[in-house]
Amino acid sequence: MDKMLERIYSMTNRELEECAAHLSLGGGTRGGPVLDHGKGVRVWDVNGKDYIDCTSQSWALLLGYCNEDINQVIREHSSNMTHIHQGFDNKVRFYLARELAKHAPEGMNRVSFTVGGGPAIEAAMKIAFKNVQPSREFVTLFDSYHGSTLGSMGASWISTKSVGKFFGGSRFLPLTRAFVRIPNPVTYRNPLGVDTEEYIDICLKMTREIFQRGVAGKPAGVIVEPIQASAGQLILPKRYLQELRALCDEFETLLIFDEIQTYGRIGETFAANYFGVTPDIICLGKSVGAGLPLAAIIIHDKLEGFSPDSEELHTFANPTLSMACAAKQLELFDNGVLENGRNMGKYLGDGLKKLQEKYPQIGDVRQLGMHIGVEFADEKLNPMTEEATKIRTVGFKNGLILGTGGVRKNVLKVKPPMIINQAECDEILEKFEASVKEVLG
Ligand SMILES: Cc1ncc(COP(=O)(O)O)c(C=O)c1O
């Protein structure tokens, strides 16, 4: 083994603490284990304890840790090339652009690569401005999350107001854009207490009013996650998204799907196809590079794309290694991975719904493919934030890594890699129940 790697791998806990003093982090919920190595859905900490990872590391590892097929591509392609500047063509980029377009909704054929989810949102915003004039403002949904770069931060609820409290991003408000917000059609505990269909109608009516009277000029674009993930795994109703599409057409604005969390995970390559909606732009990030850094936007044929005069230029927007892995992952999607994710996701979702009978504090289980959220609430549907946080902490002790979400952080996310098998799902269900029991009794 390389001597430097050997030195890193053999560091003691004391040395790790010493190194940690040199780190400066701007986010991420720490307090979990220090990770050492992983395989499949499992990861080991530096003390040798193993965990099933239901976060897939910020939902990026759809194929799990150290997937053999991806590792083979990494080995072979990295001995050929790794970094190429955006200005140089290479076979991998051509190939991946064509493969993504093949899977995308009809009429979406041009791909532009970039360096992360936030930058992908910003790239989409640039395309929207180029194509929709006169316009100044973008529209996003209540509770959405679209990134923490200065361009995308204002679109995310974290940077504005959450439950009456200001969070990190609010320190930079003078530097971020002001986004116009529209209500999100939450189907569980909507704020007006009306039934779901009525609430969807109200949200759409409000959106129409806001397009008409709340925006200067035309809205440049509406940015929407088909499943609002950080907001608490809120699966937006098909009817809502389809009618939102029609509203965007009527007001000559663009519909921008943020598929940074839905790509592959719902058991379809693109959520747009599942929801029966062709957006104008799709943004990709997180899992698109099969665990390696990559992001992209795909734009509709009717749009004017980027001009090659530094409108959108990044040193690392042409990572051929990530692109080769992304192409391999697409092949694996078509060869059983998506189908397995759909089946195992349903199995996990059903198992979690059964737990609701024993624990009424599990207010809602929302599942589409392997995109699963478990909401904790009391009998009046008040969020049980403290309990959800404790369950996550106890989960670590029980060898289970869960994500947290929801504006009130009372949703636990169960989103393991799509290659999980039934025995591993059973293990998640057992460990989840043990953790719930320990906290709720
Ligand atoms: C839906 C969504 N959009 C955008 C982003 C931002 O992506 P990145 O962290 O790669 O900038 C995230 C990240 O959590 C996300 O969940």
Side-chain angles (χ1 to χ4, degrees), residues 58-59 116-119 121 145-149 225 229-230 258 260-261 285-286:
S58 201
W59 342 113
I121 297 291
Y145 185 76
H146 299 292
S148 77
T149 55
E225 304 158 81
S230 299
D258 177 342
I260 288 163
Q261 286 222 22
K286 291 196 187 282

Side-chain angles (χ1 to χ4, degrees), residues 167-419:
F167 278 83
S170 62
R171 294 183 197 112
F172 313 112
L173 286 182
L175 299 175
T176 61
R177 290 188 64 81
F179 286 75
V180 175
R181 313 247 161 192
I182 53 175
N184 52 346
V186 276
T187 54
Y188 178 72
R189 196 197 320 104
N190 71 61
L192 301 186
V194 296
D195 81 39
T196 298
E197 292 305 313
E198 192 180 345
Y199 193 61
I200 294 171
D201 286 335
I202 291 170
C203 289
L204 288 162
K205 275 184 194 147
M206 284 307 297
T207 298
R208 168 180 286 283
E209 288 296 311
I210 289 164
F211 280 5
Q212 239 158 10
R213 296 155 67 188
V215 176
K218 294 177 189 171
V222 181
I223 308 173
V224 54
E225 304 158 81
I227 300 181
Q228 289 195 286
S230 299
Q233 302 289 121
L234 307 174
I235 304 167
L236 300 190
K238 269 189 188 176
R239 172 165 85 84
Y240 171 81
L241 287 171
Q242 289 171 359
E243 292 190 31
L244 185 63
R245 168 73 276 179
L247 269 180
C248 288
D249 288 338
E250 187 184 331
F251 284 85
E252 298 176 334
T253 182
L254 300 193
L255 181 62
I256 300 167
F257 265 18
D258 177 342
E259 290 227 30
I260 288 163
Q261 286 222 22
T262 46
Y263 179 77
R265 182 158 280 282
I266 69 160
E268 302 271 348
T269 308
F270 291 101
N273 288 331
Y274 170 83
F275 285 98
V277 173
T278 300
D280 298 293
I281 306 178
I282 293 179
C283 300
L284 301 174
K286 291 196 187 282
S287 61
V288 69
L292 275 72
L294 182 66
I297 65 167
I298 307 178
I299 67 172
H300 199 279
D301 299 347
K302 70 185 181 198
L303 298 178
E304 184 188 341
F306 285 122
S307 337
D309 56 3
S310 301
E311 271 186 353
E312 173 67 6
L313 180 61
H314 302 285
T315 303
F316 287 112
N318 192 6
T320 67
L321 192 55
S322 307
M323 288 169 170
C325 293
K328 182 69 196 177
Q329 178 174 252
L330 267 174
E331 195 182 287
L332 296 172
F333 276 2
D334 295 340
N335 287 316
V337 166
L338 295 186
E339 191 187 351
N340 185 67
R342 274 197 302 274
N343 295 338
M344 290 300 104
K346 168 102 177 43
Y347 183 80
L348 260 182
D350 289 348
L352 291 164
K353 279 176 195 155
K354 263 199 209 126
L355 271 189
Q356 272 186 298
E357 294 160 17
K358 280 199 212 164
Y359 298 97
Q361 298 94 330
I362 298 179
D364 199 21
V365 176
R366 297 185 278 273
Q367 176 259 329
L368 187 60
M370 201 55 86
H371 219 306
I372 308 176
V374 182
E375 173 147 0
F376 288 84
D378 67 16
E379 65 283 356
K380 289 190 176 146
L381 304 191
N382 294 314
M384 295 177 69
T385 305
E386 212 178 294
E387 289 81 353
T389 310
K390 275 192 196 149
I391 292 165
R392 179 169 187 262
T393 306
V394 172
F396 288 137
K397 191 189 72 171
N398 291 337
L400 188 66
I401 304 181
L402 297 163
T404 49
V407 178
R408 292 158 189 86
K409 293 280 176 207
N410 64 322
V411 177
L412 292 177
K413 297 188 193 172
V414 184
K415 300 163 78 174
M418 306 283 281
I419 44 90

Side-chain angles (χ1 to χ4, degrees), residues 423-438:
E424 290 161 339
C425 288
D426 287 333
E427 194 179 329
I428 290 178
L429 291 169
E430 252 169 56
K431 290 179 169 174
F432 191 90
E433 178 166 8
S435 310
V436 169
K437 194 171 172 191
E438 201 169 321

Side-chain angles (χ1 to χ4, degrees), residues 88-226:
F88 288 86
D89 284 325
N90 64 85
K91 287 179 184 166
V92 183
R93 182 169 66 179
F94 285 142
Y95 181 84
L96 179 61
R98 186 187 67 189
E99 291 305 303
L100 282 169
K102 259 194 218 164
H103 287 78
E106 219 180 305
M108 303 195 73
N109 287 302
R110 275 169 302 158
V111 185
S112 177
F113 294 101
T114 184
V115 294
I121 297 291
E122 294 184 8
M125 289 167 66
K126 289 179 189 171
I127 293 288
F129 261 131
K130 285 188 76 165
N131 285 275
V132 181
Q133 283 300 329
S135 71
R136 187 171 71 194
E137 284 144 340
F138 284 90
V139 175
T140 55
L141 270 63
F142 288 0
D143 307 337
S144 59
Y145 185 76
H146 299 292
S148 77
T149 55
L150 284 176
S152 64
M153 196 170 231
S156 304
W157 60 264
I158 283 176
S159 61
T160 53
K161 229 194 254 183
S162 174
V163 221
K165 266 198 226 158
F166 285 87
F167 278 83
S170 62
R171 294 183 197 112
F172 313 112
L173 286 182
L175 299 175
T176 61
R177 290 188 64 81
F179 286 75
V180 175
R181 313 247 161 192
I182 53 175
N184 52 346
V186 276
T187 54
Y188 178 72
R189 196 197 320 104
N190 71 61
L192 301 186
V194 296
D195 81 39
T196 298
E197 292 305 313
E198 192 180 345
Y199 193 61
I200 294 171
D201 286 335
I202 291 170
C203 289
L204 288 162
K205 275 184 194 147
M206 284 307 297
T207 298
R208 168 180 286 283
E209 288 296 311
I210 289 164
F211 280 5
Q212 239 158 10
R213 296 155 67 188
V215 176
K218 294 177 189 171
V222 181
I223 308 173
V224 54
E225 304 158 81

